[in-house]
Amino acid sequence: MQHVTVTGLGATTPLGGDVSQTWAALLEGRSGITALEDDWARDLPVRMGGRMRTDPGEVLGRVTARRLDRCQQAALVAVREAWQDAAAPEVEPERLAVVIGTGVGGVLTTLGQDDVLEASGARKVSPYTVPMLMPNGPAAVVSIEFGARGGAYTPVSACASGAEAIAMGLDLIRLGRADVVIAGGAEACLHPLTIAGFAQAKAMSRRNDAPEQASRPFDSGRDGFVLAEGAAMVILERAGFAAARGARAYAMLAGAGITSDAYHITAGLPEGQARAMRLAMESAGLGAGDVRHVSAHATSTPPGDLAEATSISRAVGTHAAVTAIKSMTGHLCGASGALGAVATVLALRDEVVPATRNLDAPDPEIGLDLVSGKPRHGRLGAAMVNSFGFGGHNTSLVFTAA
């Protein structure tokens, strides 16, 4: 079986325009959630969100940005960083693949161009509309820029999409179909329709008077998630290929598990989540006792956090140090699992787990070793990332120290 190395990281998030800024903010416990002061948000029940700290259009330049949906812009910014971080691997195009997940793709383009159509007619609609709204747009744009001919894939599995993309990257290398895979997730859907829809489903926090305190995973006072945007990417390489070119290894992607609940369109099933975790550990050749850290999906919804806590207890146990970075970043939906992967890789490298923010009164029903107050230092060895999505999509990843 091929071993898979993580050689590059990239991100643009509500905490920072790159990985180093985002990681520093996570360790400092800062929040990326702010009030939405746009006119369109004035009458919404939820008026806060996690906007990317650095506008991707400014990074890419006006000419490039105007042909890309904001989701695609974020993806390209994060991939460019990850590729350079990996020292730009020289790989045959047919041995380079791209897997970038998203929850809704170019929804801002879809809704924006529909407004143009209704207000000004068909002749005013952008000729770039379809390439910008396609969910496969981020993977397509990245594959074109980097000349990847080993496949350009797009998992669309709600909030599990980014982690599922990384799991697919693992499979591609293990199956011998690629030497290098660009993998991750991207999302940009801060819009009145998406916010109104989530709010009507009673999934979002309504602490509009205290945005930085709104996302509070595992806390007794949690009342829903906070919508955010951004992208996170990893460069995965066949270990032998990476070693031959002298690449630096951040960590090893040791295993992945994917399950589906076949239960409910929005509610998670603890046993389905636990099975994904067990499959990930089995894929990695590890036991539950080997996993010392879990980066939880933990969106800050009352039932969701409790269901995940139950599944972690069943599959991993209560010994692992558990954190929830959405307390600081908000919920990046299709990019959230990929961002969790980036943070977990850095936790393994630096041997430190970021603390969960806003965990003022831990829910006594959670029953896990929650990291709060300040980061926790210590050797981790192996760590898990959980990512779950509407529709019953469950993905768990296991990374080990390089």
Side-chain angles (χ1 to χ4, degrees), residues 74-85:
L76 191 55
V77 167
V79 171
R80 285 180 177 179
E81 180 191 6
W83 192 255
Q84 290 304 312
D85 189 44

Side-chain angles (χ1 to χ4, degrees), residues 273-350:
Q273 297 174 0
R275 191 162 62 90
M277 297 181 212
R278 294 190 191 104
L279 288 173
M281 292 185 289
E282 180 182 338
S283 172
L286 299 175
D290 298 315
V291 176
R292 308 304 302 176
H293 166 44
V294 176
S295 180
H297 181 64
T299 64
S300 186
T301 63
D305 289 7
L306 184 57
E308 182 178 9
T310 300
S311 66
I312 292 172
S313 296
R314 290 178 181 176
V316 178
T318 58
H319 65 279
V322 178
T323 196
I325 66 171
K326 290 182 183 68
S327 61
M328 295 170 274
T329 66
H331 193 356
L332 276 67
C333 296
S336 62
L339 182 56
V342 168
T344 300
V345 165
L346 292 173
L348 285 166
R349 182 196 67 177
D350 296 346

Side-chain angles (χ1 to χ4, degrees), residues 212-305:
E212 293 186 353
Q213 300 173 33
S215 183
R216 39 199 324 111
F218 299 128
D219 188 77
S220 296
R222 65 189 185 277
D223 67 332
F225 73 83
V226 179
L227 188 61
E229 61 177 8
M233 304 290 165
V234 297
I235 305 300
L236 305 175
E237 299 191 36
R238 179 170 56 81
F241 182 88
R245 71 180 189 90
R248 169 203 52 205
Y250 277 106
M252 307 299 291
L253 175 54
I258 297 176
T259 66
S260 52
D261 291 338
Y263 168 66
H264 191 276
I265 197 66
T266 57
L269 189 66
E271 183 49 42
Q273 297 174 0
R275 191 162 62 90
M277 297 181 212
R278 294 190 191 104
L279 288 173
M281 292 185 289
E282 180 182 338
S283 172
L286 299 175
D290 298 315
V291 176
R292 308 304 302 176
H293 166 44
V294 176
S295 180
H297 181 64
T299 64
S300 186
T301 63
D305 289 7

Side-chain angles (χ1 to χ4, degrees), residues 51-383:
R51 279 204 167 105
M52 283 180 273
R53 185 58 59 97
T54 300
D55 189 281
E58 296 178 359
V59 178
L60 298 172
R62 186 179 65 85
V63 174
T64 298
R66 67 186 291 268
R67 300 184 180 187
L68 303 175
D69 182 81
R70 188 170 175 86
C71 175
Q72 298 170 357
Q73 294 174 11
L76 191 55
V77 167
V79 171
R80 285 180 177 179
E81 180 191 6
W83 192 255
Q84 290 304 312
D85 189 44
E90 293 186 9
V91 55
E92 292 296 321
E94 292 76 16
R95 301 293 296 169
L96 173 62
V98 174
V99 193
I100 298 177
T102 184
V104 294
V107 67
L108 297 185
T109 293
T110 302
L111 296 170
Q113 289 302 305
D114 182 64
D115 290 343
V116 172
L117 175 64
E118 293 184 3
S120 305
R123 291 185 178 275
K124 294 297 183 180
V125 171
S126 169
Y128 302 112
T129 296
V130 174
M132 291 169 68
L133 65 81
M134 304 184 308
N136 65 306
V141 167
V142 168
S143 69
I144 291 168
E145 171 148 335
F146 291 89
R149 295 178 180 171
Y153 305 90
T154 304
V156 181
S157 303
C159 303
S161 302
E164 193 171 304
I166 294 173
M168 185 178 290
L170 174 68
D171 286 345
L172 288 170
I173 294 175
R174 281 183 170 178
L175 291 170
R177 295 177 181 172
D179 292 319
V180 180
V181 179
I182 299 167
E187 202 79 270
C189 59
L190 283 172
H191 184 277
L193 179 62
T194 52
I195 292 175
F198 279 128
Q200 284 294 93
K202 303 187 184 305
M204 300 187 75
S205 172
R206 302 200 180 198
R207 295 174 183 262
N208 293 306
D209 57 339
E212 293 186 353
Q213 300 173 33
S215 183
R216 39 199 324 111
F218 299 128
D219 188 77
S220 296
R222 65 189 185 277
D223 67 332
F225 73 83
V226 179
L227 188 61
E229 61 177 8
M233 304 290 165
V234 297
I235 305 300
L236 305 175
E237 299 191 36
R238 179 170 56 81
F241 182 88
R245 71 180 189 90
R248 169 203 52 205
Y250 277 106
M252 307 299 291
L253 175 54
I258 297 176
T259 66
S260 52
D261 291 338
Y263 168 66
H264 191 276
I265 197 66
T266 57
L269 189 66
E271 183 49 42
Q273 297 174 0
R275 191 162 62 90
M277 297 181 212
R278 294 190 191 104
L279 288 173
M281 292 185 289
E282 180 182 338
S283 172
L286 299 175
D290 298 315
V291 176
R292 308 304 302 176
H293 166 44
V294 176
S295 180
H297 181 64
T299 64
S300 186
T301 63
D305 289 7
L306 184 57
E308 182 178 9
T310 300
S311 66
I312 292 172
S313 296
R314 290 178 181 176
V316 178
T318 58
H319 65 279
V322 178
T323 196
I325 66 171
K326 290 182 183 68
S327 61
M328 295 170 274
T329 66
H331 193 356
L332 276 67
C333 296
S336 62
L339 182 56
V342 168
T344 300
V345 165
L346 292 173
L348 285 166
R349 182 196 67 177
D350 296 346
E351 298 186 336
V352 58
V353 176
T356 303
R357 181 185 168 90
N358 299 324
L359 191 53
D360 302 326
D363 183 342
E365 291 190 74
I366 297 300
L368 299 174
D369 181 12
L370 304 175
V371 180
S372 64
K374 61 182 180 179
R376 185 180 301 178
H377 295 264
R379 181 167 175 76
L380 300 175

